[in-house]
Amino acid sequence: QVQLVESGGGLVQAGGSLRLSCAVSGRTFGTYTMGWFRQAPGKEREFVAAINWPGGATNYADSVKGRFTISRDNAKNTMYLQMNSLKPEDTAVFYCALTGRIGIVVLIGEYDYWGQGIQVTVSS
């Protein structure tokens, strides 16, 4: 069984930075696409960023382009999300996800495994 565990969330002031990590265990990591999603209070879960295997291609939601960077370290079975210039509207629970599909995947329904989520709160 695949397990995904997020870490690195917390409270930060607007304009600040956070780095989220997603550790993967339980199966071969290297050949899978991974992504970050987020869900703000009262809103649906939305796509944030995705990265293919082995990491040469990425895709971002328009709302985070130029501020967030997704990456992965296949040797460590870990994916990252560097978040800079954070805004109060970035406040949400962030989830990492993994899919067996090849290439960049942005649809929630196409991901097979999910982490438990981690809170990111940006104060104004």
Side-chain angles (χ1 to χ4, degrees), residues 40-62:
K43 296 187 177 181
E44 295 186 350
R45 193 171 299 187
E46 64 177 5
F47 169 76
V48 174
I51 186 167
N52 73 335
W53 181 85
T58 58
N59 187 271
Y60 297 91
D62 288 343

Side-chain angles (χ1 to χ4, degrees), residues 35-124:
W36 288 98
F37 293 77
R38 66 185 181 185
Q39 187 166 15
K43 296 187 177 181
E44 295 186 350
R45 193 171 299 187
E46 64 177 5
F47 169 76
V48 174
I51 186 167
N52 73 335
W53 181 85
T58 58
N59 187 271
Y60 297 91
D62 288 343
S63 59
V64 307
K65 280 181 181 177
R67 300 188 298 122
F68 291 9
T69 302
I70 189 172
S71 61
R72 62 192 291 171
D73 185 334
N74 295 332
K76 295 182 178 180
N77 287 357
T78 302
M79 177 180 65
Y80 305 97
L81 185 68
Q82 178 66 44
M83 304 186 294
N84 299 329
S85 302
L86 283 161
K87 305 175 181 179
E89 51 263 44
D90 293 317
T91 294
V93 176
F94 281 71
Y95 298 87
C96 66
L98 181 152
T99 175
R101 291 172 170 82
I102 303 301
I104 293 295
V105 179
V106 302
L107 297 179
I108 292 174
E110 294 186 345
Y111 279 85
D112 305 305
Y113 299 97
W114 292 83
Q116 79 285 356
I118 192 163
Q119 180 70 45
V120 170
T121 302
V122 184
S123 63
S124 57

